Amino acid sequence: MILDAHSHVHDPLDAHLSALDDAGVDRTVLFPTRAHPERATDLDSLRGETGVLERALAGGTGNDGFALAMRELDEALDAHPDRFLGFGSVPLGRPDAETAARVEREVIGRGLYGIGELAPPPNQAALVEPVLRAADDHAGLPVVVHGFAPTTAADLRTLAQLAARYPKVPLVISQLAGTHWMSAIELARAVPNLHLELSTANIVFAVRRAIHELPTRTLFGSDAPYGDPVVARTTVERVTAPGEVRDRVLGGNLAELLGLG
């Protein structure tokens, strides 16, 4: 199976399904989102949606927006359970007991596959630790953390340290850590439960090098609607030969993480 490890709820869903069909993707991880750039009809409306994204990445976590994003996720999962693999997010910076309760309610209670995409403010990746602790309590649920800007090199080092502290929890850094991709590869080589998702990489040989160094811990992803499944799959196929490694990156590695048959 071809599995996309990173996408967000689209409006309308049909546009996302069409893109997945074009790329030959069987199923995709689906994260809740407060921003919907695919709704934009002109530059001004796109600025409005990207403003929502920027506030979220800066740590804005309004409860109303969070609840709406989770409702949209539920609706998408109910409509297409055969195509979407749901992940649930939780607000950061809350007391440990509240975080544990939210993971129990928002992730386990919904029958979701993991937690994410978490987006701590820059230089505050330590806020992820209570989520990792809760994931550890539930047999090591996978946790996905935003890797592109504004994530910093210091954040990546913090995430690697946290991953080492919770070795049962697969910690996935998304977007190949943006411009910090070389540091991310070095850190992942040293921490066995650290994984790299490859979406929106802006340098093709970054994808090639990541797969070469970490063939069992790199994951094909599109970050749709910000990226495109066809382009993302093509990039992986351009830097790999047909065979086991390509098959693992395009789905096998994620299937193992999620316990898919």
Side-chain angles (χ1 to χ4, degrees), residues 11 28 56 67 70 128 159 168 204 233 239:
D11 181 19
T28 182
M70 292 302 291
V128 170
L159 291 171
K168 290 192 305 183
V204 171
R233 179 175 179 175
V239 302

Side-chain angles (χ1 to χ4, degrees), residues 66 70 88-90 101-110 112:
F66 179 85
M70 292 302 291
S89 190
V90 296
R102 281 183 175 268
V103 168
E104 181 74 37
R105 181 176 67 252
E106 305 292 349
V107 180
I108 302 300
R110 282 180 156 93
L112 303 181

